[in-house]
Structures are given as C-alpha cells and as structure tokens.
C-alpha cells in the first residue's frame, strides 16, 4: 500500500466518537453537541420551497446567495456590535468548514496556532492538516482563556490564535475586558485572531462580545453558524467574515474545496436568520433551566463545576475512573482529555437533553461518584 501524508497521520478520530462506540444503545447520551430542538419550521419550509421551485438545483455564487449574505449582514447590524459587508462573507458547510478556510488561508507549514486547552477538537486537527504547529494553552480556574496566557505564548512563528466564546467544551464566556484584550493582542502583535462564535446567542450570564468590534486592524476573522443557534447541525451551514483581502484568500480555498455551500441549506439559513427569533429564545431559556438543574445536582453529588455561562456544556472536576463508571452504568459523558491535555481530571457533560433525562443521569452520576471515591 502507498504511504499516507504525514499531515493526515497526525490526526486521529475524535475521542468523542470512541466514547459513543463504548456506550450501549439505550444509554443516556450527554456526550453530543447537538441541541434537542427541531429546526424552526419556517427554515425547513424555505428549503422545501426552494427545492420544489427548482431554486436549489444549481451552484450558487461561491460566497453564497446574495439573499443569505444579506441576512447574515443584517444579523450583525441587528446585534449592533459591528457591521459586515455582503462581499466580506463566505457561506460555508458549517462552522467547521469556516474554521478550515481560516486556518488554511493563514497558516504556513511550521507556523504556530495558539488555542484553548481544553478546547474544541477541530483546532488541533485543522492545524495539523495545514501542517502548522498546534500550541494549546491552559485556562484559568474558571475555565476562561486568559489573554495574558495567549500573549505570553506568541512567538515570531505565531500565525493565529483562536478565541471561542461561549466555549465548547467548558461553557465559559469571556468578559468584555478579555475580548478587548484579544483584539489589542491581534493588533499589536500582528497575529490573526480567529474568533469562533458559533454559540454566540447561547449566553445566560453576561453578554457575548466579539474581538471584531474592538480590533483596529483587520487581524480578526469571525466564524459563525446556524448549527447551534437554530438547531441546524444537519443542514451544514456556517460562514466566515473578515476583511475583503482575507475573504478573497479564504475564497480560493473554499472555491476548490467546496465550490459553494449546499443551496437548500442556504435558503433554510436565510429564513432562520430573517424570520422570527422566538425559537432561539425558547431554546436558550430551556438550556439555562437545565444548566441550573445540572449544576445543583453536581454540587449535591460533591463535584466541583466552574459555572458555565453559555453554550450547553458543563465541565465538572471528576475523580479518576469516573467517566468509565458513568459509561458502564449507561450515561455517556466525554473525558476532558478528549479536548486536550489540560482537560484531564474533568469531564464534559452536554445538557442538550430534557430535564427528566438529566435528573435520571444525575442519579447515575451520583452512583458512579460513590463507586470511585
Ligand atoms: C466551538 C465549535 N466551533 C465550531 C463547531 C462546528 O460547528 P458546525 O456544526 O457548524 O460545523 C462546533 C461544533 O460542535 C463547536 O463546538
């Protein structure tokens, strides 16, 4: 057999998948990053109509339909933090492709990418695929990323640092001061900040802030997606935005890798972004209630959990063997080390599931804790 590229050999399948494979079929799955809500019906309907009318048969513009890009631009206007020109957006196959484009277009072989550890699994893998050098950095006690840690880690070889707020796997939300600092660091050190904002609306305490609003240079690109906000993970629709020069470079990668995002998904996303936003509010309210139930339950069990202020994940500190005990007893959670070395001693619990199921899972977690302590 022929050899595989060294880039691909450095990437393994995500540790999350291994956990799913170890679990029984009727297990309670608290391992998955997927809201348990339906996609809003007006979004589904827009895709159905586009398909039936024949509007989704052909390639769209590489950057995406003008209707969708206008909807994304209008969304940023509505949010009031910064404005985005429709020419400076590429609709992508989920936030995942947007991250890929951003890293591929900005990282040369051997250049460093700084990212949070524990952090979203793609950051390390995509850095390897670009032949860059991953530089994971640890977090504060509350699981937020300290801008000073990022600044200390920057060297002459640093191309990019990644900020993810609200964060997977921690649920941490960075303060406005931190976000201002990240913008300053991107400006002063002339490194690119990739701000992964796919959970931007799922915030319970405080507010979401983007370094794009504060940077004075064009050294920030923002990754967004419909996946979590509108429970549209299966539609595969995200975007990246940044200065026109950066977008034109990322477009070169997108054009040859993807040509354009799926047309039906673009119609659905446009409707999701321009239609009623109540489904988002309802989902966020439900997540907040569940977070509170989960935090109370974990405290009763005696597990310390930094308070997650957004997304739908919590990361308690857990005793050795705890994750396996939970999985053996039919509750799937992900070991913290699946998200980086500094994740060891933690587990990620996704609470994108109903309150009754969460309570059942908490019973099991209590038993698992007693078994290993
Ligand atoms: C932090 C973060 N960024 C990006 C993504 C990718 O999202 P998408 O499903 O839109 O590709 C995820 C998905 O779990 C995520 O958690």
């Amino acid at each position: 057999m022929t050899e595989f590229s060294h880039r691909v050999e450095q990437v393994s399948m995500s540790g999350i998948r291994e956990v799913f494979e170890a679990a029984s079929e009727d297990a309670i799955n608290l391992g998955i990053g997927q809201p348990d809500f339906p996609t809003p019906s007006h979004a589904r309907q827009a895709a159905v109509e586009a398909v039936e009318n024949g509007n989704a048969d052909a390639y769209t513009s590489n950057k995406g339909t003008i209707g969708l890009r206008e909807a994304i631009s209008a969304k940023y206007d509505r949010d009031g933090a910064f404005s985005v020109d429709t020419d400076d957006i590429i609709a992508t196959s989920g936030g995942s492709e947007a991250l890929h484009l951003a890293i591929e277009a900005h990282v040369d072989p051997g250049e460093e990418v700084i990212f949070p550890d524990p952090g979203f699994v793609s950051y390390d893998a995509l850095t390897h695929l670009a032949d860059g050098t991953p530089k994971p950095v640890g977090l504060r006690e509350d699981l937020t990323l300290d801008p000073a840690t990022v600044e200390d880690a920057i060297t002459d070889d640093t191309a990019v640092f990644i900020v993810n707020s609200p964060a997977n796997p921690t649920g941490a939300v960075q303060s406005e001061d931190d976000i201002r600092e990240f913008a300053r660091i991107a400006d002063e050190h002339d490194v690119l900040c990739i701000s992964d904002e796919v959970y931007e609306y799922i915030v319970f305490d405080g507010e979401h802030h983007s370094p794009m609003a504060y940077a004075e240079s064009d050294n920030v690109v923002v990754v967004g997606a419909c996946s979590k906000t509108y429970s549209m993970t299966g539609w595969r629709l995200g975007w990246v935005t940044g200065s026109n020069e950066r977008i034109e470079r990322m477009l070169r990668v997108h054009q040859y890798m993807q040509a354009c995002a799926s047309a039906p998904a673009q119609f659905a996303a446009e409707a999701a972004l321009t239609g009623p936003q109540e489904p988002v509010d309802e989902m966020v309210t439900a997540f907040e209630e569940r977070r509170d139930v989960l935090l109370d339950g974990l405290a009763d069990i005696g597990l310390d959990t930094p308070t997650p202020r957004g997304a739908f994940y919590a990361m308690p500190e857990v005793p050795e063997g705890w994750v396996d005990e939970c999985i053996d007893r039919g509750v799937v959670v992900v070991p913290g080390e699946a998200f980086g070395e500094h994740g060891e001693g933690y587990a990620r619990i996704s609470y994108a599931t109903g309150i009754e199921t969460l309570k059942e899972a908490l019973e099991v977690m209590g038993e698992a804790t007693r078994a290993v302590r």
Side-chain angles (χ1 to χ4, degrees), residues 172-183:
V173 174
Q174 300 288 150
S175 69
E176 183 176 3
D177 283 350
D178 284 350
I179 295 290
R180 280 183 189 275
E181 273 294 279
F182 290 130

Side-chain angles (χ1 to χ4, degrees), residues 323-341:
V323 169
D324 289 341
E325 280 295 331
C326 286
I327 295 175
D328 287 350
R329 289 161 198 266
V331 171
V332 179
V333 294
V334 184
E337 55 267 31
F339 304 97
E341 228 172 68

Side-chain angles (χ1 to χ4, degrees), residues 23 29 63 114 124 127 177 184 204-205 221 243 254 302 338 351:
N29 193 343
K63 286 183 181 172
I114 297 169
D124 180 78
T127 302
D177 283 350
R184 179 194 62 75
F204 320 124
D205 310 321
V221 299
S243 70
H254 176 69
Y351 49 89

Side-chain angles (χ1 to χ4, degrees), residues 94-96 99 120 123 164 168 196 198-199 225 227-228 236 313:
S96 300
L99 287 169
F120 178 48
Y123 305 148
N164 173 217
N168 176 9
D196 178 347
V198 303
Y199 296 96
S227 306
K228 314 289 175 170
R236 311 307 306 130
Y313 309 104

